[in-house]
Amino acid sequence: MSVPIRLVQRNGKLISLDATQIQFKFARGTTAIPMPILGERYAADLNIVTTSIDVDVILRDDDCSASEVSEQPAKAFIDFAKPNVRDNNTIGAGSYFYGDGGDVTIGQSGGKDITNKEFQLKSTFLKQSGADPIIIKFIDTGTLGAATYSSGTVSISLNHANLKHASTPAPSSGSFQSIAHEVATYLTNALNNSANIGITTTSTGSTGLSHAFTATLSAGTYSETLGMTRVDIQQDEVGTNGNSGTPVFWDMTSSGSVNTLAVVPPSFQTFRGGENNTCKSAGDKVQDLIANVSNSNVMGAVGQALQMDANQDKKAALSTDFNKLDPTAGATDDYIVGIQIPYNSLIQSTDTTSMTPRNFLIVTGLSPANNQGSLANKLPASTTFDSENVYSGIRGTVTTFSAAYQAGDTFYSGKLSFSPIDMIVGL
């Protein structure tokens, strides 16, 4: 019997292994000091913990018909509930639009205005062909919510008195829970429209956004108060070219650095997860691990430090994701940044007669006790690993690896040590 585990590389690729034995090691730095005469023992507990995970593994050939190694589409998101402040190493507070408590407005005079500022998207085909990106912008003219398409530019109207001129902007109708909900809805509608935008968007010659992308409205950062503020965007054509390094927002200069004079864009994640067929043999997996442990560079930073109540808002005093800082430079990087080890949970199951799979977690930082144990482990084991989400797996890297092969076998046996680490920085 074995347990399927996954090592996660920084580019999102997985190394699937079968674990025959898993050993978690945790040690708290609480050295007891005996007191003379009294016979008592005192200690100071400063929450200093050393951890390691040792795994005995079997490396087998992949089942090339399995969905986990087949071609995959890249996915991105834009969340209008929250400003994008993580890349600036700043603790994010408040929501995005003025009427929701933030300081960004739709179109008020003298405000931090988002209208007539462009952001870019590249479809899988546009990335592959090297063509210019699709330009999307919000405008303060035209019919509210309507989109126009011309020469590769999509203009979405936010022309409404409640959004533009009111001292405290508000959604234009009761069907929206917040301004962020309204704006996200209009963008979702535009991306799912098949109208001719004036350029080719797919390898089959289509000219509509809906042929290149599928957009879905979903719960955002502050869903309880602001509603469905997040737009999840999936490339309709699969493969690594879907990892297009977009969205690129108006606050980025041509060099890729942040323009501090521009309006902060909404929270977003660039397209990632696009895969060509990744079916590997047992020997391929051994070679990948040899390459990673023997010579693999971080070339930057990945993870989070000084985290605060991650289950609520993913706040961190230092939060850095390599692919966000430079979405293209890390596209082929193989550095291992996480591990997903599944287990069967009863407390997360909908009934007491069946179990549901979850991944083991190590939640660190200033987080309440209720956000660290099995009750807080709500994401399914199939969740895509995210180095900025402690609930998607265990962050860290492989520190030792050994492999053995016996003649006649169709697999390799191995041992690896994984060191849980919240933030890794290196050259």
Side-chain angles (χ1 to χ4, degrees):
M1 295 292 291
S2 61
V3 175
I5 67 172
R6 296 182 290 188
L7 296 174
V8 186
Q9 296 175 322
R10 188 166 57 191
N11 55 17
K13 295 183 178 180
L14 304 175
I15 301 176
S16 298
L17 309 171
D18 293 318
T20 58
Q21 179 173 296
I22 304 170
Q23 185 175 20
F24 296 91
K25 296 179 181 179
F26 296 86
R28 294 187 67 84
T30 53
T31 303
I33 303 175
M35 299 302 296
I37 303 175
L38 298 176
E40 297 173 342
R41 291 167 177 79
Y42 299 158
D45 190 343
L46 302 180
N47 198 22
I48 300 174
V49 182
T50 58
T51 65
S52 66
I53 302 173
D54 297 327
V55 187
D56 293 346
V57 297
I58 295 175
L59 299 93
R60 308 180 191 272
D61 298 339
D62 282 334
D63 176 4
C64 294
S65 64
S67 60
E68 64 187 32
V69 296
S70 62
E71 293 181 310
Q72 300 292 326
K75 299 177 182 179
F77 72 76
I78 302 172
D79 186 357
F80 290 97
K82 189 173 184 288
N84 185 57
V85 294
R86 293 185 297 181
D87 292 350
N88 297 334
N89 298 331
T90 306
I91 296 176
S95 50
Y96 193 59
F97 293 112
Y98 179 80
D100 299 327
D103 60 359
V104 176
T105 65
I106 297 293
Q108 289 179 292
S109 175
K112 296 182 178 180
D113 184 4
I114 73 164
T115 57
N116 298 306
K117 294 179 176 64
E118 301 176 348
F119 68 95
Q120 302 174 358
L121 287 180
K122 270 197 173 185
S123 66
T124 301
F125 169 73
L126 292 176
K127 173 67 174 180
Q128 180 180 9
S129 64
D132 291 337
I134 298 162
I135 303 298
I136 299 178
K137 62 181 178 180
F138 299 104
I139 59 176
D140 57 3
T141 60
T143 303
L144 178 66
T148 57
Y149 308 86
S150 176
S151 302
T153 296
V154 182
S155 301
I156 305 171
S157 174
L158 299 179
N159 183 22
H160 192 281
N162 285 352
L163 302 181
K164 286 178 39 180
H165 306 299
S167 59
T168 303
S172 62
S173 74
S175 61
F176 301 111
Q177 194 168 336
S178 65
I179 299 174
H181 181 192
E182 183 169 4
V183 174
T185 300
Y186 296 154
L187 177 59
T188 301
N189 293 341
L191 292 173
N192 289 330
N193 194 305
S194 61
N196 185 350
I197 68 170
I199 62 171
T200 301
T201 59
T202 71
S203 60
T204 59
S206 298
T207 58
L209 290 180
S210 66
H211 301 123
F213 308 106
T214 296
T216 306
L217 199 63
S218 64
T221 303
Y222 305 110
S223 57
E224 295 84 358
T225 55
L226 303 183
M228 308 283 277
T229 62
R230 173 167 147 164
V231 182
D232 292 318
I233 311 170
Q234 177 175 299
Q235 299 272 13
D236 283 354
E237 294 189 295
V238 297
T240 55
N241 282 309
N243 305 322
S244 62
T246 62
V248 173
F249 278 85
W250 51 75
D251 71 327
M252 302 300 289
T253 66
S254 59
S255 65
S257 61
V258 174
N259 178 1
T260 58
L261 300 178
V263 176
V264 176
S267 177
F268 70 99
Q269 177 178 285
T270 56
F271 281 108
R272 61 187 61 184
E275 293 284 359
N276 297 328
N277 191 294
T278 58
C279 192
K280 296 180 180 179
S281 70
D284 291 332
K285 296 176 183 180
V286 173
Q287 180 58 55
D288 288 347
L289 284 168
I290 290 174
N292 185 274
V293 178
S294 65
N295 185 25
S296 184
N297 299 323
V298 179
M299 293 298 292
V302 61
Q304 290 181 322
L306 304 177
Q307 298 147 99
M308 300 166 56
D309 194 3
N311 198 43
Q312 298 298 317
D313 191 21
K314 297 185 184 179
K315 293 179 182 178
L318 185 62
S319 180
T320 310
D321 183 288
F322 188 89
N323 284 331
K324 286 192 180 70
L325 290 177
D326 189 345
T328 56
T332 59
D333 191 26
D334 65 347
Y335 194 89
I336 291 173
V337 296
I339 190 170
Q340 292 181 316
I341 304 174
Y343 72 93
N344 287 325
S345 172
L346 189 58
I347 198 168
Q348 291 292 342
S349 178
T350 55
D351 57 63
T352 58
T353 60
S354 62
M355 296 193 183
T356 187
R358 293 290 186 267
N359 291 316
F360 282 108
L361 310 174
I362 300 178
V363 180
T364 56
L366 300 178
S367 181
N370 289 340
N371 291 351
Q372 301 181 43
S374 58
L375 278 173
N377 196 1
K378 298 183 182 301
L379 297 180
S382 59
T383 294
T384 299
F385 182 84
D386 180 355
S387 63
E388 292 188 349
N389 185 350
V390 295
Y391 296 96
S392 64
I394 299 174
R395 299 183 292 213
T397 196
V398 173
T399 54
T400 66
F401 170 68
S402 62
Y405 174 77
Q406 294 189 14
D409 285 345
T410 58
F411 60 88
Y412 290 76
S413 60
K415 295 179 180 290
L416 62 87
S417 294
F418 184 89
S419 181
I421 304 170
D422 289 297
M423 187 166 189
I424 303 172
V425 179
L427 302 175

